């Protein structure tokens, strides 16, 4: 845990994760980037629109025996709606996300690839329904979409200003396996692998209280692989 002062309002900002690069100040909504010893403000983040997500910053859960905490959120929009990408803090400091879209949940981990390797293997975006080998598993491209960031809160591993454009590719394989490739403004592609998960399997705690709410079963959506 590291403490800083917000360059904009001087309030104390605490980074829980060593791998977080940015944070939205909870007091003044400045989007701040972490340098070695100080923070730089790169603008204001608009208030996130309300949604019906059961998750929030500080929701905790357990995945494959490892505890995690939600420490940040990216809210992404595309032509047909939006979804949340919750940034997870695991004790082993792997970069992981909980993707929450239309009642389906996936836990994904960033694959550690050098920029050269990422460009060589995944630089050319694959076509819909094509096959791709990632970390020993053959995936099928199930979706391609353009999206952009409409807001963020908490800690994130990169700066995600409003309007940041991402071209995303979803891939699926048997046993609920899920992978994603993201292309963003000429950066080397980012590759993620993981799986679809059931809400009840993650032992969530400190969820947001939503009156009359029940997580819809995502089983029917998972079986499409
Ligand atoms: Zn501030």
């Amino acid at each position: 845990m590291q403490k800083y002062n917000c360059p904009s309002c001087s309030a104390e900002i605490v980074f829980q994760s060593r791998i977080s690069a940015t944070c939205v100040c909870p007091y003044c909504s400045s989007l701040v980037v972490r340098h070695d010893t100080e923070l730089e403000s790169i603008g204001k983040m608009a208030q996130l629109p309300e949604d019906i997500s059961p998750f929030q910053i500080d929701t905790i859960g357990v995945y494959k025996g490892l505890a995690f905490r939600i420490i940040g959120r990216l809210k992404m929009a595309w032509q047909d709606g939006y979804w949340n990408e919750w940034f997870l803090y695991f004790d082993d400091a792997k970069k992981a996300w909980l993707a929450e879209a239309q009642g389906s949940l996936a836990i994904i981990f960033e694959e550690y690839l050098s920029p050269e390797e990422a460009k060589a293997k995944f630089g050319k975006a694959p076509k819909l329904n094509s096959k791709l080998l990632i970390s020993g598993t053959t995936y099928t491209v199930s979706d391609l979409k353009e999206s952009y960031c409409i807001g963020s809160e908490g800690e994130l591993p990169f700066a995600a200003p409003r309007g940041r454009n991402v071209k995303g590719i979803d891939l699926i394989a048997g046993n609920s396996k899920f992978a994603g490739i993201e292309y963003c403004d000429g950066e080397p592609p980012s590759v993620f692998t993981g799986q679809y998960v059931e809400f009840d399997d993650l032992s969530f705690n400190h969820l947001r209280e939503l009156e009359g709410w029940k997580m819809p079963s995502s089983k029917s959506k998972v079986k499409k692989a």
Side-chain angles (χ1 to χ4, degrees):
M1 223 183 256
Q2 281 178 287
K3 293 177 179 176
Y4 299 85
N5 287 104
C6 174
S8 189
C9 75
S10 302
E12 185 175 87
I13 295 180
V14 178
F15 275 81
Q16 301 191 56
S17 163
R18 283 186 289 115
I19 56 176
S20 299
T22 70
C23 179
V24 175
C25 173
Y27 305 97
C28 73
S29 301
S30 287
L31 179 59
V32 296
V33 176
R34 174 157 65 169
H35 299 299
D36 284 347
T37 55
E38 53 189 38
L39 300 181
E40 177 197 2
S41 171
I42 58 168
K44 292 263 179 189
M45 186 52 76
Q47 204 70 27
L48 278 178
E50 278 298 316
D51 62 24
I52 53 159
S53 174
F55 308 115
Q56 61 185 352
I57 303 291
D58 284 340
T59 291
I60 53 175
V62 178
Y63 177 67
K64 292 189 174 171
L66 274 181
F68 64 82
R69 176 181 295 272
I70 289 178
I71 61 171
R73 154 153 81 155
L74 272 182
K75 192 156 179 169
M76 302 296 294
W78 65 300
Q79 61 177 18
D80 285 352
Y82 65 82
W83 73 92
N84 287 309
E85 292 183 2
W86 299 96
F87 187 44
L88 307 182
Y89 178 70
F90 278 91
D91 287 340
D92 62 2
K94 270 191 193 157
K95 285 182 196 170
W97 299 84
L98 173 67
E100 178 199 16
Q102 287 136 24
S104 81
L105 300 175
I107 295 233
I108 51 175
F109 294 85
E110 185 162 357
E111 293 280 317
Y112 287 102
L113 299 171
S114 68
E116 296 74 31
E117 198 183 357
K119 272 188 189 154
K121 280 190 178 164
F122 305 105
K124 193 162 170 277
K127 292 193 162 58
L128 198 61
N129 296 321
S130 61
K131 308 263 189 223
L132 202 60
L133 186 68
I134 306 175
S135 295
T137 298
T138 302
Y139 290 88
T140 304
V141 176
S142 62
D143 198 17
L144 312 164
K145 57 178 168 276
E146 305 269 347
S147 62
Y148 59 95
C149 175
I150 55 172
S152 65
E153 60 180 320
E155 290 175 41
L156 293 170
F158 49 78
R162 221 175 141 82
R164 179 182 193 259
N165 275 294
V166 178
K167 184 176 175 184
I169 304 216
D170 290 350
L171 305 101
I172 51 175
N175 295 324
S176 302
K177 283 189 179 171
F178 176 86
I181 307 175
E182 287 188 359
Y183 299 86
C184 183
D185 294 337
E187 294 166 22
S190 303
V191 182
F192 304 87
T193 56
Q195 64 175 150
Y196 286 102
V197 290
E198 293 296 329
F199 183 85
D200 289 339
D201 293 340
L202 297 178
S203 309
F204 284 115
N205 234 311
H206 197 236
L207 292 162
R208 216 170 96 188
E209 279 182 37
L210 298 169
E211 212 166 314
W213 173 87
K214 194 172 163 289
M215 188 73 186
S217 166
S218 51
K219 281 227 159 64
S220 56
K221 290 182 181 176
V222 173
K223 294 293 178 210
K224 64 190 169 190

